[in-house]
Amino acid sequence: MNTDAYRDLQLLTEIATGDSVTQRRLAQKHGLALGLTNFLIRRLVKKGYVKIINLERKRLRYLLTPNGIAEKARLTYEFLEYSLHLYRNIRTLVTRTLSALSASGRKDILLYGTGEMAEIAFGLMQQHGLPVVAVVDEPLNGAMTFMNRPVRPLSDVASIPFDWILIASFKDNRKIIQQLSQCGVPEEQIITISEEGHTPALRHARGRAILETPDTLVMEAR
């Protein structure tokens, strides 16, 4: 699913609630510029998916047309297919990475992340018998607990004993690695679940190749 289709689905879903939505509220909720939100809604109107009704005091109300309802259903199905495909690919990447971690002989893992990828990683770590010594994330992420564990700030990393820190996040891995390095974490202890699958720390751990490069995973930035 491309970015345009995903944004259309977001707006159609909001409008379908029947609430009195405004462009400003839509923009704030989905992190879009107000001008872009206006453009997207006008495009939906032009395609015949949304109808605008003028109310009193210059208020507008947006309604889905029959074509809009059908388009929302089509996009929802497409999104579910995309999500299932993405989940399967991420699960494959995470499984291969965790198998390599288990084979390295050093198994205490500090998990970075509290999102969907971290949830997959956490569940698979339980299956592989890999203990999660702690969970860390950026303070601005807002999560206080993750899988019934407290989420600790990056500033705590230096005081937590671990063998590896596994980055399980859709955020920019390069930025996260830089932040961790500033907290005193050696790069050879940082493991990523990347599209390319290159994890030098694992490939050279204990003097032998442990992790082979998996198939490329293409993920749309949303």
Side-chain angles (χ1 to χ4, degrees):
M1 169 172 275
N2 61 37
T3 303
D4 284 346
Y6 181 69
R7 286 172 173 168
D8 284 350
L9 176 58
Q10 286 181 309
L11 295 180
L12 290 173
T13 300
E14 289 290 337
I15 294 171
T17 63
D19 296 335
S20 182
V21 297
T22 65
Q23 290 188 16
R24 187 173 300 278
R25 192 177 111 188
L26 290 172
Q28 292 174 345
K29 182 172 182 177
H30 298 290
L32 302 173
L34 187 57
L36 176 59
T37 304
N38 179 269
F39 168 78
L40 293 174
I41 289 180
R42 288 184 179 277
R43 188 175 65 181
L44 291 174
V45 172
K46 187 175 181 180
K47 289 180 178 180
Y49 299 150
V50 172
K51 179 169 62 175
I52 299 178
I53 298 178
N54 288 310
L55 301 177
E56 58 182 6
R57 297 181 182 178
K58 298 183 179 179
R59 291 174 56 213
L60 301 177
R61 184 177 182 183
Y62 305 102
L63 297 175
L64 291 190
T65 65
N67 286 341
I69 295 173
E71 178 66 4
K72 176 179 172 295
R74 186 190 71 80
L75 289 175
T76 299
Y77 179 78
E78 181 181 324
F79 177 73
L80 291 174
E81 275 197 325
Y82 166 81
S83 299
L84 182 59
H85 174 74
L86 181 61
Y87 170 80
R88 287 171 175 167
N89 278 277
I90 292 174
R91 186 181 176 88
T92 297
L93 286 179
V94 173
T95 298
R96 292 179 181 180
T97 302
L98 294 181
S99 295
L101 285 172
S102 182
S104 74
R106 293 177 288 162
K107 301 183 179 181
D108 289 339
I109 301 174
L110 180 62
L111 182 63
Y112 178 103
T114 53
E116 291 87 352
M117 188 185 294
E119 291 179 4
I120 297 172
F122 187 92
L124 291 173
M125 287 167 73
Q126 306 302 301
Q127 295 179 23
H128 282 75
L130 295 170
V132 179
V133 297
V135 179
V136 297
D137 206 341
E138 294 179 271
L140 295 179
N141 194 56
M144 299 299 293
T145 60
F146 176 78
M147 300 297 180
N148 295 320
R149 293 169 177 259
V151 178
R152 300 174 65 171
L154 294 185
S155 57
D156 283 0
V157 168
S159 63
I160 304 172
F162 62 89
D163 294 321
W164 308 102
I165 180 164
L166 176 65
I167 300 175
S169 172
F170 286 116
K171 300 174 187 176
D172 187 345
N173 281 344
R174 292 169 297 179
K175 180 181 177 182
I176 296 172
I177 291 172
Q178 184 180 27
Q179 292 173 331
L180 292 171
S181 297
Q182 292 172 350
C183 293
V185 179
E187 286 198 30
E188 58 266 24
Q189 286 185 274
I190 301 174
I191 308 300
T192 62
I193 304 168
S194 65
E195 296 179 12
E196 297 83 5
H198 297 298
T199 312
L202 284 178
R203 286 205 305 272
H204 301 292
R206 304 187 65 154
R208 61 191 176 90
I210 293 175
L211 181 64
E212 298 295 332
T213 303
D215 297 334
T216 301
L217 170 63
V218 179
M219 292 184 290
E220 294 281 350
R222 299 201 296 269

